[in-house]
C-alpha cells in the first residue's frame, strides 16, 4: 500500500467515525508506516473468519446473505475485510468503542433528521378495499412501476458512462445507438409484458384430455423457450433485476405441471441472457462486454437452433413432453451458467478488467465441472480479445487506445514542462497510473511490470524515436498464466534496456550527474576559489540590490578561467537568488502535503533582509527526458546541499581572513599581545569546527555516497532502479549532512551565525587598531615640525619617536583590551561553546537512540581530544547537584540518572 493510500484511508476512517481532535491522523499514519511489510507472505482464511462472524452476529442469516451477494459481485478484497472483522470480534476494547461511536453517530443523525424533516400525519382510512381489488391494484402498480423504472435506470447508467468516457476522450465523441433502439421492445427478443396483447384462453386447459393438455403445453413451452408468451404459460413482469417468473394455468394436470416446472428455468435463464446481451451491446459498456455479449449471442443462436429442431419434431407429432425434457437437459446447464454470469456482471457493474476477473474466477471455480469450465473458458477467451489488444499496444509500443476506460493503465493529462517548475510534481508517478478495479485477477501479479513496460516505451516515443518490441507475440488467454507472464517479462526486459540505454548513452545521464556534482556538491575547487573571489563584494549586498546579470557574467568568467571550462554542460549552470534562507526553504519542503503547508505558504516573510550570500544558489537547466531523473524535486535537494556547503565555505573564508588580519598583532610587544590570546584561541576553535564539518560532509558523506551511486547506476536494470538509487543518494546526503533534522540544523545555524558575528567584530577591531596606529604615527611625524629642523632637533626627534613607538607598542588600547574587548570575546566564547556543546549532545543522542552511526564520526572529529566531553560531564554534574535538593527521590527507589543536555544560549 502506498503512502498516499495510507494517508487517504486513515483520514477517511477518522471522518467516518467523526473523530476530531486528539493526536490526529499523523500519529496513526506513522504507526502504520512503521509496521507495514513490503510483501504479503500469508493468505487469510475467509471460511473460518466467516463462521466466526456468523457466530458472533445477532443476525447470522443476514450476514451470510450479504456475504454471498458481495461474493457474487466479485467484490475485491472481500476476504481480507472479513478476516479483519473477525479479528475485531476478539478485541473487546475496540468493539466497545465502535458501539459507543455508532450510538453517538446515530443520535447525531436522528437529531439532524428531526431538525430538517417536517412533521406529518397519515390520513385516516376512509374505507376498506377487497382482496381482489388489492391484488389487481398491486399488479397494475407493479406493471407500471417496474417497466419504466428499469428502463430509466438503464438509461441513467448509460448516460453516466457516456459522460465519463466523453470527458476522458475530449474532442472525440463516442458513438451511441439511436433512441429507437431502446424505444422498440420487440427488438429485444425477450418477453413483452404489459403490452396489452390478448391471449385466447376461453377453454381452460384442465377441461381438455391429458393428451391434448400435453400437446398444448409442449407448444407453449417451445414459445416460452424463445421469449414468447404461450396461451397457458405467461411471463410475469420483472421487479428490478430479479429472475423471470412464469404463471402456469392452475387447472393443468399436476404430473404435467411438474415437468413444466423443470423446463421453465431454461426459459428464465434465456430471458436473463437475452436482456444482458441487448443491454451490454450498447457502446457505453465497453469492448470487453461487447465481446462477451457477442460470444453469448453465438451460444444463444445454438439454443434457438435446438428449439427450431424441437419445433420440427412437434409439428411431425413426434415430440412429447418427456422427449422435450430429455432433449432440453444438455442446454439447461449451459443456459444456467450463462444466466449466472450475466447476473454477476450486472450486479457487480463490471466493465473491462473487472469482467475478465469475474470470468477467470468462475473458470477456476468450475474445475470439477468440465462442461461449465469449458464454457467459461470459451467466454473468457472471447471477452479478453479486445483487452489483450489494448495490452499488446501498451507493452509493445507504449501507446494506449482505450476509449471506454477499460484498461488497467489510465492516462492523465500532465505536462512534461511542469517537472522543471513544481517541486512536488509527480509526472513519472501520476502520468500513467494503475486502476485497481480494472486489473484482471490473472494479471494482478504483473500489473506493476505492465505499467512500467509501457511507461518506458512511451518516454522513448515522446523523444521522437519509434520503438516496436522485436519479441512481440499475440497474447492469448489461458488458465496457465505462465504463457502470457513470459511475454510480459520479455517485453519488460526489452523496454527497460531501450530506455536505460537511451538515457545512459544517448542522453549521457551519468555525465550530467557528474556535472551537477562538480558545481552543486563543490567538487570543482579552483572554480569556487575564482567564483567566490569575483563575487565576494557583490554577494555582501542585500538581495534586492544585487544585479543578477552581473552575477551571471561573473559566473561565466569563473567558468572560463578554471578547469570547469572543459565541462561540456557548463552552459546549463545558472544562478538563482532564493526568496528564503536555507532553514525556511527546508521547512517549507518538509511541510509539503502536511497540515503545516498552508501556514508555511501564507506565513509573513522574515523582517531581516537576506544578504546575497544567504539567498544565493545555483540552478541547472535539464531537458526532457533527463528531467525524469533530474526533476525539480531532485534539483531542490541539490540546492539545499549546495547552500549548506556554500555557506560553510563562506564562513571558513571569513575566519581565514580574520587569521590574516590578526598577523598585525606581531608588531606589538608580548605583554600587549596577551589581550589577543582569547580571540586567537576562539578563532582557531571556530576554524577547526567549520573545517572539520566540511571535511566530514565532503569526504565521509558525499564522496562515498557518490561512489555507491555510480556503482548502482552502472548495474541498474531499468529506469525505476535509477530513480530509486538517485533519490536514495540525495536522501542519504541530506540526512547525514544534518539537513533533514530541523533541530540539528537550527543549532548548526546558530553556530554559523556566532562565527560570522565574531569575524565582523574582529574585522572592526582590527580596522580600529590600524586607524589609531596610523593617526599616532602621523602625530609623531608631523606634530613637532614647526620649521626647518636642525641637526640637534633631528637627533632629539629620533629619540622621541623611538620612545613614542615603544610606549605605543606597550600601551595602545590597553584599557579597551582589558575591559570591552576581552568581555566581548568572552561572550562570543561562551555562546559558541554553549551551542557547540548543545550540538554534540544532540548528535550523541541521535547516534545512539536513532542508530545514526554517521553522527559519531562528527563527534570524534569535533571532540578529538575529549575537551568538550569533559565540559559536558562537568555541566551535567553541576545541573544534577542543583536539581537534587529540589527533587528528592523517594526512599527505597534509586533516582534516575540525569540526561546530558545543554541549553543553547
Amino acid at each position: 500500500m502506498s503512502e498516499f493510500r495510507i494517508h487517504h484511508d486513515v483520514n477517511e476512517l477518522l471522518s467516518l467515525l467523526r473523530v476530531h481532535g486528539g493526536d490526529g491522523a499523523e500519529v496513526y499514519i506513522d504507526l502504520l508506516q512503521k509496521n507495514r511489510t513490503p510483501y504479503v507472505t500469508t493468505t487469510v482464511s475467509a471460511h473460518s473468519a466467516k463462521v466466526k462472524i456468523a457466530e458472533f452476529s445477532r443476525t447470522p442469516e443476514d450476514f451470510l446473505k450479504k456475504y454471498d451477494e458481495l461474493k457474487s459481485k466479485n467484490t475485491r478484497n472481500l476476504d481480507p475485510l472479513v478476516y479483519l472483522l473477525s479479528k475485531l470480534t476478539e478485541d473487546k476494547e475496540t468493539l466497545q468503542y465502535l458501539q459507543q461511536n455508532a450510538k453517538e453517530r446515530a443520535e447525531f443523525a436522528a437529531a439532524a433528521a428531526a431538525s430538517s424533516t417536517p412533521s406529518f400525519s397519515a390520513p385516516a382510512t376512509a374505507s376498506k378495499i377487497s382482496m381482489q381489488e388489492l391484488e389487481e391494484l398491486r399488479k397494475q402498480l407493479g406493471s407500471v412501476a417496474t417497466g419504466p423504472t428499469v428502463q430509466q435506470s438503464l438509461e441513467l447508467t448509460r448516460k453516466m458512462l457516456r459522460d465519463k468516457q466523453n470527458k476522458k476522450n475530449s474532442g472525440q465523441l463516442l458513438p451511441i445507438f439511436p433512441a429507437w433502439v431502446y424505444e422498440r421492445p420487440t427488438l429485444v427478443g425477450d418477453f413483452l409484458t404489459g403490452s396489452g396483447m390478448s391471449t385466447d384462453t376461453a377453454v381452460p386447459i384442465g377441461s381438455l384430455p391429458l393428451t391434448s393438455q400435453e400437446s398444448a403445453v409442449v407448444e407453449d413451452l417451445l414459445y416460452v423457450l424463445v421469449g414468447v408468451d404461450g396461451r397457458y404459460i405467461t411471463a410475469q413482469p420483472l421487479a428490478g433485476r430479479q429472475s423471470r417468473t412464469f404463471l402456469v394455468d392452475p387447472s393443468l394436470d399436476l404430473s404435467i405441471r411438474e415437468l413444466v416446472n423443470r423446463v421453465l428455468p431454461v426459459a428464465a435463464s434465456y430471458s436473463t441472457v437475452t436482456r444482458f446481451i441487448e443491454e451490454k451491446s450498447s457502446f457505453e459498456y465497453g469492448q470487453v462486454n461487447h465481446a462477451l455479449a457477442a460470444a453469448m449471442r453465438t451460444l444463444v443462436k445454438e439454443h434457438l437452433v435446438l428449439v427450431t429442431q424441437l419445433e420440427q419434431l412437434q409439428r411431425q407429432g413426434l415430440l412429447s413432453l418427456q422427449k422435450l425434457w430429455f432433449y432440453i437437459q444438455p442446454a439447461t446447464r449451459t443456459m444456467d451458467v450463462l444466466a449466472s454470469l450475466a447476473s454477476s456482471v450486472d450486479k457487480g457493474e463490471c466493465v473491462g478488467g473487472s469482467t475478465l476477473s469475474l470470468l477467470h474466477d468462475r473458470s477456476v471455480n468450475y474445475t470439477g465441472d468440465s462442461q461449465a469450465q469449458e464454457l467459461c473458458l470459451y467466454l473468457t477467451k472471447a471477452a479478453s480479445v479486445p483487452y489483450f489488444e489494448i495490452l499488446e499496444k501498451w507493452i509493445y509500443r507504449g501507446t494506449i487506445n482505450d476509449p471506454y476506460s477499460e484498461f488497467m493503465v489510465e492516462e492523465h493529462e500532465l505536462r512534461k514542462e511542469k517537472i522543471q517548475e513544481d517541486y512536488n510534481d509527480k509526472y513519472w508517478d501520476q502520468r500513467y497510473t494503475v486502476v485497481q478495479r480494472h486489473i484482471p485477477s490473472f494479471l494482478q501479479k504483473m500489473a506493476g511490470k505492465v505499467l512500467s513496460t509501457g511507461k518506458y516505451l512511451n518516454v522513448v516515443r515522446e523523444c521522437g524515436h519509434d520503438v516496436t518490441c522485436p519479441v512481440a507475440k499475440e497474447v492469448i488467454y489461458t488458465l496457465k498464466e505462465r504463457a502470457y507472464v513470459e511475454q510480459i517479462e520479455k517485453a519488460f526486459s526489452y523496454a527497460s534496456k531501450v530506455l536505460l540505454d537511451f538515457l545512459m548513452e544517448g542522453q549521457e545521464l551519468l555525465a550530467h550527474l557528474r556535472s551537477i556534482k562538480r558545481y552543486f556538491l563543490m567538487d570543482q575547487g579552483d572554480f569556487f576559489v575564482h567564483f567566490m573571489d569575483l563575487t565576494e563584494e557583490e554577494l555582501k549586498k542585500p538581495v534586492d540590490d544585487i544585479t543578477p546579470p552581473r552575477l551571471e557574467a561573473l559566473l561565466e568568467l569563473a567558468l572560463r578561467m578554471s578547469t570547469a571550462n572543459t565541462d561540456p554542460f557548463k552552459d546549463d549552470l545558472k544562478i538563482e537568488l532564493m526568496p528564503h534562507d536555507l532553514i525556511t526553504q527546508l521547512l517549507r519542503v518538509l511541510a509539503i502535503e502536511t497540515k503545516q503547508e498552508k501556514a508555511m505558504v501564507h506565513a509573513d516573510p522574515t523582517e531581516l533582509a537576506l544578504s546575497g550570500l544567504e539567498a544565493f544558489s545555483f540552478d541547472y537547466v535539464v531537458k526532457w527526458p533527463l528531467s525524469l531523473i533530474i526533476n525539480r524535486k531532485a534539483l531542490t535537494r541539490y540546492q539545499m546541499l549546495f547552500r549548506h556547503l556554500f555557506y560553510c565555505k563562506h564562513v571558513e573564508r571569513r575566519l581565514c581572513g580574520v587569521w590574516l588580519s590578526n598577523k598585525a598583532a606581531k608588531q606589538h610587544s608580548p605583554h600587549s599581545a596577551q589581550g589577543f590570546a582569547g580571540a586567537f584561541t576562539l578563532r582557531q576553535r571556530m576554524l577547526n569546527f567549520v573545517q572539520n564539518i566540511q571535511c566530514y560532509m565532503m569526504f565521509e558523506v558525499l564522496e562515498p555516497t557518490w561512489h555507491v551511486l555510480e556503482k548502482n547506476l552502472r548495474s541498474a536494470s531499468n529506469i525505476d532502479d535509477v530513480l530509486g538509487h538517485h533519490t536514495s543518494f540525495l536522501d542519504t546526503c541530506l540526512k547525514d549532512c544534518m539537513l533533514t533534522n530541523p533541530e540539528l540544523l537550527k543549532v548548526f545555524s546558530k553556530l554559523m551565525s556566532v562565527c560570522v558575528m565574531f569575524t565582523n567584530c574582529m574585522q572592526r577591531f582590527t580596522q580600529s587598531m590600524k586607524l589609531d596606529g596610523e593617526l599616532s604615527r602621523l602625530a609623531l611625524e608631523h606634530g613637532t615640525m614647526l620649521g626647518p629642523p636642525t641637526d640637534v632637533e633631528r637627533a632629539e626627534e629620533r629619540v622621541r619617536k623611538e620612545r613614542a613607538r615603544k610606549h605605543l607598542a606597550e600601551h595602545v588600547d590597553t584599557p579597551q583590551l582589558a575591559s570591552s574587548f576581552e568581555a566581548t570575546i568572552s561572550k562570543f566564547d561562551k555562546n559558541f561553546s554553549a551551542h557547540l556543546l548543545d550540538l554534540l549532545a544532540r548528535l550523541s543522542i541521535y547516534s545512539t537512540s536513532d542508530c545514526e552511526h554517521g553522527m559519531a564520526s562528527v563527534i570524534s572529529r569535533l571532540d578529538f581530544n575529549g575537551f568538550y566531553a569533559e565540559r559536558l560531564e562537568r555541566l551535567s554534574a553541576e545541573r544534577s547537584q542543583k536539581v537534587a535538593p529540589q527533587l528528592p527521590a523517594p526512599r527505597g527507589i534509586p533516582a534516575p540518572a540525569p540526561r546530558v543536555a545543554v541549553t543553547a544560549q
Side-chain angles (χ1 to χ4, degrees), residues 254-320:
L254 290 178
S255 61
I256 297 176
R257 179 193 292 271
E258 180 63 26
L259 283 174
V260 169
N261 289 335
R262 293 183 184 180
V263 177
L264 285 180
V266 182
S269 298
Y270 171 82
S271 175
T272 301
V273 174
T274 303
R275 282 183 281 112
F276 175 83
I277 291 172
E278 293 300 325
E279 178 186 345
K280 301 305 178 184
S281 295
S282 298
F283 289 103
E284 293 82 1
Y285 290 96
Q287 297 177 355
V288 173
N289 283 335
H290 296 170
L292 176 61
M296 285 187 174
R297 184 178 283 112
T298 302
L299 298 175
V300 169
K301 286 180 180 179
E302 294 181 1
H303 170 76
L304 295 178
V305 170
L306 172 63
V307 175
T308 303
Q309 293 172 348
L310 294 176
E311 183 181 5
Q312 181 67 19
L313 291 176
Q314 188 264 342
R315 288 184 178 182
Q316 294 174 2
L318 302 176
L319 184 65
S320 64

Side-chain angles (χ1 to χ4, degrees), residues 482-509:
R482 192 61 196 169
Y484 42 78
V485 165
E486 289 179 355
Q487 292 176 244
I488 294 173
E489 291 277 6
K490 291 178 181 178
F492 175 76
S493 300
Y494 170 75
S496 302
K497 186 176 185 304
V498 167
L499 181 58
L500 195 61
D501 292 345
F502 179 69
L503 289 178
M504 288 296 213
E505 299 175 6
Q507 299 294 320
E508 299 179 292
L509 173 62

Side-chain angles (χ1 to χ4, degrees), residues 832-845:
F832 179 77
S833 299
H835 291 319
L836 186 54
L837 289 174
D838 186 17
L839 178 65
L840 291 173
R842 292 178 186 273
L843 289 174
S844 178
I845 292 173

